[in-house]
Amino acid sequence: MDINYELYKVFYYVASTLSFSEAASRLYISQSAVSQSVKTLEKKLGQTLFIRSTKKVQLTPEGDILLRHVEPAVNLIGRGETQLMDKPSGGGQLRIGASDTICRYFLVPYLEKFHKAFPGAHIKVTNATSIKCVELLESGQVDIIVVNYPNTYLGNIFSVKKIKSFQDVFIANESFSELKNKKLTYKQLLEYPILMLDKRSTTSEFLHALFQQHQLDLVPEVELSSNDLLIDLAKIGLGLAFIPDFCLNHDAGNLFVIEMKDKLPTRELAAAYNGHLPVSGAMEEFLSYFE
């Protein structure tokens, strides 16, 4: 079917913003031109792509299917344009996906190093969970992600580079001082309130799997989306927080690490990117920092 790419481009901006006026603004064309382009595409495809009302715009099921195919294509074309102009010494672009925790406690020094070496390069960081980061990479919205590993969501198309080993730990404050110098079993841990990341994280999957291996059902007291908040709650004595050890620093205050009878398995941070696409100069330079 011979359909002008510009029609798909207009569709993408309307679908991603759910606004005809916002799409017109981003494309620097009139709203009527956007509406006409969408109508033309719908006529050519023989499908209704949007449900229009006075208050909002929604994708139809057919529009949602089309967006899932068009979005990676638009991002891939944008990436190709960037790579053609990519000169790390004076410009280029680095699009990274990573969680708040990984950004704050691990990536910042590497981003600073890259920025100092290539001040003209544009750095875009998108914060998301390790699971969501894989989705961003799949859709082409980022070029590289730094995530917790193992990560069951990383498919065969991705190249994975392990860059740092770390240990997860349970931490508590003086409210649980009786646990100092003790080594707890997984079963004994369940006698205390557990604070951990929510179920939409690889960390949650990892910890639940560990308890299941010991035929135990983990029911946390608190589930949050931020390790920083877990540390804050541990500091006021709400429970035992489960966090990566690299989150602990000199400002840990009265927190201490709880010893385990069975040592927790080591995990890793890994950089992942689409191994079927060319690696840009900016990304190649950034990856070299982890040699």
Side-chain angles (χ1 to χ4, degrees):
M1 188 178 293
D2 184 19
I3 298 179
N4 191 316
Y5 164 72
E6 289 301 318
L7 297 180
Y8 285 118
K9 186 176 180 181
V10 171
F11 163 78
Y12 166 73
Y13 278 96
V14 176
S16 59
T17 62
L18 293 180
S19 167
F20 280 75
S21 60
E22 179 65 21
S25 175
R26 294 191 184 188
L27 290 165
Y28 301 101
I29 59 177
S30 67
Q31 188 169 333
S32 61
V34 169
S35 297
Q36 188 57 49
S37 294
V38 169
K39 288 179 182 177
T40 300
L41 182 60
E42 288 179 323
K43 184 176 180 180
K44 285 180 174 288
L45 294 174
Q47 303 284 346
T48 300
L49 302 174
F50 295 100
I51 300 171
R52 305 161 176 84
S53 69
T54 54
K55 292 185 178 180
K56 61 181 179 180
V57 176
Q58 290 179 285
L59 281 165
T60 63
E62 294 77 14
D64 186 60
I65 291 171
L66 185 61
L67 177 61
R68 277 184 269 142
H69 289 81
V70 169
E71 183 177 43
V74 171
N75 285 319
L76 191 58
I77 290 171
R79 177 174 175 169
E81 292 173 343
T82 299
Q83 288 191 18
L84 286 175
M85 300 179 289
D86 188 19
K87 297 177 182 177
S89 59
Q93 178 175 240
L94 184 65
R95 301 183 303 164
I96 304 173
S99 69
D100 290 341
T101 298
I102 293 173
C103 282
R104 178 178 180 183
Y105 293 102
F106 176 72
L107 274 182
V108 168
Y110 296 100
L111 293 173
E112 181 182 24
K113 181 179 179 179
F114 181 85
H115 176 64
K116 286 182 177 178
F118 309 111
H122 176 65
I123 301 173
K124 180 181 179 182
V125 180
T126 302
N127 288 140
T129 65
S130 289
I131 293 174
K132 181 64 177 177
C133 281
V134 176
E135 296 176 12
L136 294 172
L137 187 58
E138 286 177 333
S139 65
Q141 296 179 64
V142 296
D143 305 314
I144 182 173
I145 58 176
V146 179
V147 294
N148 293 324
Y149 191 84
N151 188 322
T152 56
Y153 296 86
L154 285 170
N156 294 329
I157 67 169
F158 300 121
S159 295
V160 177
K161 182 176 185 178
K162 298 174 184 177
I163 55 181
K164 177 184 174 64
S165 295
F166 69 91
Q167 189 77 50
D168 294 286
V169 293
F170 286 95
I171 59 171
N173 80 344
E174 293 298 326
S175 301
F176 300 92
S177 58
E178 74 275 10
L179 300 181
K180 285 185 175 180
N181 303 317
K182 279 188 177 182
K183 291 189 176 182
L184 299 186
T185 64
Y186 287 96
K187 187 174 183 179
Q188 289 171 323
L189 275 173
L190 293 180
E191 298 173 10
Y192 301 92
I194 303 295
L195 320 176
M196 61 181 291
L197 291 180
D198 62 37
K199 293 179 180 178
R200 295 169 294 178
S201 67
T202 54
T203 298
S204 175
E205 290 184 353
F206 170 74
L207 188 57
H208 278 283
L210 280 180
F211 275 85
Q212 288 169 5
Q213 288 170 18
H214 291 78
Q215 289 76 52
L216 297 171
D217 186 23
L218 172 60
V219 181
E221 184 78 12
V222 172
E223 292 179 293
L224 297 171
S225 59
S226 165
N227 278 303
D228 286 333
L229 284 175
L230 292 177
I231 294 172
D232 289 340
L233 295 186
K235 283 182 177 179
I236 62 174
L238 257 62
L240 317 184
F242 184 71
I243 64 166
D245 60 0
F246 60 80
C247 292
L248 287 175
N249 52 36
H250 63 279
D251 193 30
N254 61 346
L255 295 174
F256 64 93
V257 174
I258 294 169
E259 298 293 327
M260 297 287 295
K261 280 190 177 179
D262 296 321
K263 189 175 180 181
L264 291 167
T266 298
R267 287 198 292 164
E268 293 177 288
L269 295 182
Y273 52 95
N274 192 328
H276 296 287
L277 296 175
V279 176
S280 70
M283 192 166 78
E284 187 174 17
E285 178 65 30
F286 190 70
L287 282 170
S288 72
Y289 295 164
F290 306 117
E291 298 293 343

